[in-house]
Amino acid sequence: MERQFKPESLMMSFGYKPEWSEGALKCPIFQTSTFVFKSAEDGKAFFEVAYGLREKGKTEKLGLIYSRINNPDLEILENRLTLWDRADDCAVFESGLAAITTVLMEFLSPGDLLLYSSPLYGGTDHFIHQVLSRLGITSIAFHAGHSEKDIESMVEKSGKKDKLGLVYIETPANPTNSLIDMELCARIAAKFSTPARKIPLAVDNTYMGPLWQHPLEHGADLVLYSATKYIGGHSDVIAGACLGSFELMKRIKTLRTFLGNMAGPWTGWLLMRSLETLKVRMETQSKNAMKVADFLSKHPKVEKVYYLGLIKENDPQHEIYKRQCLNAGAMVSFDIKGGEAEAFDFLNHLRLIKLAVSLGSTESLAEHPATMTHCDVSKEDRDRLAISEKLIRLSIGVEYPDDIIWDIQQALEGSA
Ligand SMILES: *Cc1c(COP(=O)(O)O)cnc(C)c1O
């Protein structure tokens, strides 16, 4: 009898056999730079596949060669990550930005056009404007308020529609949780694709994945993660991942080999440890977040709460939310009554919640986007995106929910 186990049942064992390592229950850390070939013929065959000199045979596996190309801790982790998004293949990187920049470099060449959703993660935005621009790659941005027609005409008017190389989006957007319609973006990518050039759609799924949103099921070709966030989940590792079809992942893994930005075995091991509790952590975090959002929405010192679980049915974002998200997540932002002084007072009064950037981990964190994560966003963009002086971003952890709420309440009331 065969049974299709759920990913959470497979995270402790999938892809690893204890007999490979003296019966060790857990996959050890393969802290080695290189691997011994059984014969010269094996070494030759492994290199032919690794360097793309010939296609891999049907049942042939890529042999272990050198830890920049492959390593058991990475391969087993990558196989486990494919289960959540039901992807063909995965590549793990030493940071989320390494995964993102490798994708941007692989699919864009000098003269090309990039279409992206705004706001993007600050590091991604910086790379597009400071690095890709130097390579002669131009970009145009759209935001949640733009219609399909608006975006199409932006591409048409750019004069470079035949050079569109990649559509890159982040949804929900950080820090206000505004949603970008993935299926709409897939239609745009298809519209400007030609038989000779299929334009991929890449989605940064860090905010919702890999549990609460599966972009590959909504027309995306590539899914990206900062694995530093929910996947790592313990604020003790920086890592990233990219998932997609064998065809696209082969290109990304080849560029990774030559950029040398793969994750090391210790990072791979830490992330395998983390994946075992991914589902219980994320479920607890989202339950806690709903309670926090509810509390905030009723507090007299709070002006507005940005949380997916509170989107009203008559809001145009509601339909997108229902279609592409499985859960409201654990990121809650809110406007405190007042401005920077009141926001800082709140942050300085917190006792359990830590004042730090990053998100998705076991402990609750709070930060002030306008002066911290989004300080280099132009004033004009900040105004348009509602990233004001009174906005506070919370990442809700796994603590006892009433303790989190107690802390927020005392900080709101202790502040001026
Ligand atoms: C943190 C983050 C990144 C960057 O990931 P690193 O692991 O810090 O390199 C990219 N995108 C989003 C949405 C993030 O939150």
Side-chain angles (χ1 to χ4, degrees):
M1 275 216 301
E2 280 293 325
R3 183 179 166 88
Q4 196 65 46
F5 293 120
K6 295 279 189 200
E8 60 268 33
S9 306
L10 294 169
M11 284 304 115
M12 283 62 79
S13 60
F14 187 74
Y16 169 71
K17 290 203 173 78
E19 63 257 35
W20 294 341
S21 312
E22 309 280 0
L25 171 73
K26 289 279 118 156
C27 176
I29 304 170
F30 288 86
Q31 193 71 42
T32 183
S33 58
T34 195
F35 298 85
V36 178
F37 306 136
K38 283 204 186 86
S39 67
E41 287 76 10
D42 265 7
K44 178 181 175 187
F46 294 175
F47 265 95
E48 283 170 348
V49 173
Y51 279 42
L53 303 180
R54 64 171 171 85
E55 281 300 310
K56 210 161 46 180
K58 269 214 170 65
T59 55
E60 189 179 1
K61 288 195 113 184
L62 177 58
L64 291 162
I65 298 175
Y66 183 69
S67 287
R68 178 157 46 74
I69 300 170
N70 55 0
N71 174 290
D73 290 294
L74 288 204
E75 286 195 354
I76 297 166
L77 166 66
E78 287 165 355
N79 292 338
R80 289 183 190 175
L81 277 169
T82 61
L83 300 176
W84 297 98
D85 279 306
R86 290 183 277 276
D88 285 353
D89 201 7
C90 170
V92 176
F93 293 80
E94 200 55 51
S95 72
L97 263 184
I100 292 165
T101 56
T102 302
V103 165
L104 292 170
M105 301 272 279
E106 177 56 33
F107 293 99
L108 296 166
S109 300
D112 280 354
L113 176 69
L114 165 70
L115 175 68
Y116 70 92
S117 68
S118 167
L120 287 183
Y121 179 73
T124 311
D125 196 86
H126 182 96
F127 189 79
I128 292 170
H129 295 104
Q130 308 301 320
V131 183
L132 291 184
S133 62
R134 270 202 273 130
L135 304 177
I137 295 160
T138 50
S139 57
I140 41 179
F142 65 95
H143 56 76
H146 284 124
S147 70
E148 191 161 349
K149 279 242 148 39
D150 294 339
I151 305 169
E152 279 175 18
S153 79
M154 285 161 87
V155 176
E156 305 271 2
K157 281 190 198 134
S158 72
K160 292 194 123 190
K161 69 177 164 106
D162 54 335
K163 298 297 271 176
L164 184 61
L166 182 70
V167 181
Y168 182 95
I169 64 169
E170 201 175 302
T171 179
N174 174 8
T176 56
N177 282 324
S178 64
L179 296 171
I180 302 288
D181 185 337
M182 292 190 264
E183 285 167 20
L184 180 159
C185 294
R187 286 195 298 274
I188 304 259
K191 185 182 161 81
F192 294 99
S193 291
T194 60
R197 186 183 213 189
K198 184 181 175 315
I199 302 164
L201 168 64
V203 179
D204 181 335
N205 199 34
T206 301
Y207 248 52
M208 293 299 261
L211 239 71
W212 301 324
Q213 181 170 274
H214 299 297
L216 298 177
E217 290 170 13
H218 298 278
D221 301 292
L222 292 166
V223 190
L224 287 150
Y225 291 106
S226 166
T228 310
K229 314 296 165 54
Y230 290 102
I231 293 174
H234 294 68
S235 300
D236 56 8
V237 62
I238 300 273
C242 176
L243 297 102
S245 66
F246 287 121
E247 192 192 341
L248 297 182
M249 292 312 299
K250 191 175 164 194
R251 291 177 57 180
I252 289 160
K253 283 187 159 172
T254 302
L255 184 56
R256 182 184 67 170
T257 293
F258 296 102
L259 289 173
N261 55 2
M262 72 300 150
W266 173 225
T267 298
W269 185 90
L270 276 172
L271 292 179
M272 279 195 269
R273 171 281 319 251
S274 292
L275 281 181
E276 299 189 7
T277 55
L278 182 74
K279 186 155 189 234
V280 286
R281 283 187 281 114
M282 289 182 79
E283 275 180 352
T284 303
Q285 287 174 266
S286 78
K287 275 191 204 140
N288 286 354
M290 189 68 230
K291 290 182 183 158
V292 168
D294 254 344
F295 169 81
L296 285 170
S297 65
K298 293 180 190 120
H299 199 282
K301 286 198 174 171
V302 173
E303 206 168 277
K304 181 169 179 183
V305 182
Y306 304 84
Y307 182 61
L308 292 175
L310 296 178
I311 301 180
K312 300 251 171 7
E313 286 202 23
N314 58 5
D315 188 320
Q317 292 255 300
H318 192 263
E319 189 273 321
I320 307 175
Y321 170 58
K322 283 286 155 205
R323 177 154 42 87
Q324 66 191 26
C325 306
L326 300 167
N327 189 289
M331 295 302 292
V332 184
S333 293
F334 68 98
D335 286 333
I336 195 166
K337 280 192 185 147
E340 184 180 297
E342 287 74 11
F344 278 20
D345 226 15
F346 169 81
L347 292 169
N348 290 333
H349 274 87
L350 289 169
R351 292 210 239 161
L352 178 69
I353 301 172
K354 297 289 177 282
L355 173 53
V357 300
S358 198
L359 60 101
S361 283
T362 42
E363 66 280 298
S364 296
L365 299 177
E367 66 115 0
H368 188 244
T371 60
M372 297 170 193
T373 47
H374 294 68
C375 68
D376 64 349
V377 176
S378 71
K379 173 84 173 76
E380 186 195 342
D381 279 348
R382 267 191 270 137
D383 288 348
R384 185 171 49 74
L385 301 166
I387 306 171
S388 70
E389 310 288 306
K390 57 190 171 184
L391 183 74
I392 290 161
R393 187 187 82 178
L394 302 173
S395 168
I396 303 301
V398 300
E399 302 92 341
Y400 182 59
D402 291 350
D403 288 341
I404 305 173
I405 290 170
W406 174 87
D407 196 28
I408 293 172
Q409 181 164 23
Q410 65 81 26
L412 280 170
E413 275 148 33
S415 62

